[in-house]
Amino acid sequence: MARTQKTKPNQTDRLLVIACGMIAREVLAVKEQLKLDHLDLTCLPAEFHFYPDRIPPAMDKAIEQAKADGYEHIFVGYADCGTGGLLDRICEKHGVERMAGPHCFAFYQGMDAYAKVADDDMMSFYMTDFLCRQFDAFFMKPLGLDKHPELIKDYFGNYEKLVYIAQTDDPELDKVAEKAAKMLGLAYERRSTGYGDLTTELASAAAHA
């Protein structure tokens, strides 16, 4: 369950972002970059990346809790993220907005840029800074690849390349992505995207708070 930062009842001058745990570091980076001092952050578990059906009910409860805590301005730090429109229903129910797009891989690149490569990327496996940092925890161990590398073909056999969407310039993360591509038998491409539309959408949400 999401943990919301404490605030005074009826406090109306702050914006609460309820985000996926996978983008927490990036939201805080944008907050610092744009000096959004009135932005607060709470996150749902990053593991919901694998269980998108858990996102809408958890978000429903998180928004209700945030309103009970006195927040009037709330922004959902998720794209659709595999919920099949169910997250949009929760947003409509509470009158809040979410990140535009199908997933973070799209909004990090920027929706306009993503639209140009989406068809060509159909057979691509995306990684982000977070997924590079958590590659073992999110892929190797849950999929059993650390003990059964022969399963790589079963899980990744339909992919053609690994695309690392880089939010920062970190040589250590580059190494992880390159190593992952080699291990998975995929071609490798690195795209330096920064925070993409996350920056503009958080700025817009904060301006209206």
Side-chain angles (χ1 to χ4, degrees):
M1 183 176 178
R3 294 183 178 180
T4 306
Q5 293 174 321
K6 296 297 183 179
T7 186
K8 298 178 181 179
N10 301 317
Q11 187 173 355
T12 61
D13 61 346
R14 302 196 66 78
L15 169 70
L16 178 66
V17 177
I18 305 175
C20 170
M22 286 179 58
I23 69 168
R25 182 190 293 251
E26 289 69 31
V27 171
L28 293 176
V30 171
K31 172 181 177 176
E32 181 177 357
Q33 182 183 85
L34 300 182
K35 301 187 185 304
L36 303 177
D37 296 333
H38 65 302
L39 185 155
D40 295 333
L41 173 66
T42 188
C43 292
L44 301 184
E47 66 181 25
F48 284 4
H49 176 78
F50 292 122
Y51 309 101
D53 59 305
R54 299 181 186 179
I55 297 172
M59 182 60 67
D60 190 23
K61 293 180 180 179
I63 294 174
E64 289 179 350
Q65 182 61 56
K67 289 183 175 180
D69 287 344
Y71 284 100
E72 294 185 7
H73 303 286
I74 300 168
F75 184 73
V76 173
Y78 276 88
D80 178 75
C81 295
T83 67
L86 294 180
L87 182 57
D88 284 332
R89 295 184 186 180
I90 300 300
C91 292
E92 291 170 5
K93 171 184 174 181
H94 292 286
V96 302
E97 299 291 331
R98 68 163 173 85
M99 289 292 304
H103 40 61
C104 66
F105 309 122
F107 69 66
Y108 274 146
Q109 297 183 80
M111 290 307 300
D112 291 340
Y114 174 71
K116 296 177 181 179
V117 300
D119 289 342
D120 290 338
D121 280 358
M122 288 294 291
M123 307 302 289
S124 297
F125 176 67
Y126 285 126
M127 289 186 67
T128 63
D129 284 9
F130 175 90
L131 291 174
C132 284
R133 294 188 184 96
Q134 302 295 328
F135 187 74
D136 286 345
F138 262 66
F139 296 108
M140 294 299 291
K141 293 180 180 179
L143 298 179
L145 302 181
D146 54 335
K147 297 181 179 179
H148 299 283
E150 68 274 10
L151 294 176
I152 289 176
K153 290 184 178 180
D154 294 329
Y155 287 118
F156 297 93
N158 291 325
Y159 290 107
E160 296 177 351
K161 65 178 176 179
L162 184 152
V163 178
Y164 171 31
I165 300 169
Q167 285 70 70
T168 58
D169 292 320
D170 186 331
E172 292 304 314
L173 298 184
D174 291 342
K175 290 178 183 178
V176 172
E178 291 171 1
K179 182 178 179 181
K182 184 176 181 180
M183 182 189 69
L184 300 177
L186 303 175
Y188 178 69
E189 179 181 347
R190 183 187 190 278
R191 297 177 190 166
S192 181
T193 65
Y195 304 117
D197 288 348
L198 181 65
T199 301
T200 54
E201 294 213 29
L202 288 180
S204 178
H208 290 87

